[in-house]
Amino acid sequence: GKPSRIFGVPRDLITARSEFFRNALNSRWVESNENMVTLPANDLELFQKYLHVVYLNTAPVGEDVDVHTVKNGNDGSRKRVKRSAKEIDRLVSCSFAREFDTIIDLYILSDHL
């Protein structure tokens, strides 16, 4: 089956931010008695990002893009490289596109939760 993970989130926090969790945990649903809500394990990474928003009230974007180093083999070390302005622009644009996609995915997930 798909990988699963248990996230421990304070009930007051998650129910204040989500109508779905508020209904699930404050009703006659089984989840309310068990104090646990099971969600489809479609995208654990996206749900972790959703929790980032819940806890910090900020979107998990805006990380710096390291355009001056690359991985140096399988050991995870990095080496410094020279890049043209065009290459740097492409890398930054790709990073922006990934962040934009993340924001859209978070918006859709938040709308469902």
Side-chain angles (χ1 to χ4, degrees), residues 9-86:
V9 181
R11 182 185 192 128
D12 292 343
L13 179 66
I14 198 76
T15 57
R17 297 296 301 263
S18 166
E19 184 177 352
F20 170 81
F21 285 110
R22 190 169 37 257
N23 289 334
L25 294 171
N26 293 322
S27 69
R28 294 182 183 164
W29 291 17
V30 172
E31 287 84 354
S32 181
N33 294 330
E34 295 176 356
N35 218 20
M36 181 179 287
V37 177
T38 303
L39 300 172
N42 292 340
D43 194 338
L44 294 175
E45 184 179 338
L46 182 61
F47 189 72
Q48 286 177 298
K49 291 177 181 181
Y50 172 78
L51 289 179
H52 177 102
V53 173
V54 168
Y55 276 100
L56 302 176
N57 206 30
T58 62
V61 296
E63 297 177 12
D64 291 333
V65 179
D66 185 358
V67 296
H68 299 291
T69 63
V70 295
K71 282 189 179 178
N72 189 21
N74 293 330
D75 64 359
S77 65
R78 301 186 73 78
K79 69 176 182 177
R80 191 152 180 82
V81 296
K82 290 185 179 185
R83 297 191 190 273
S84 69
K86 187 175 183 177

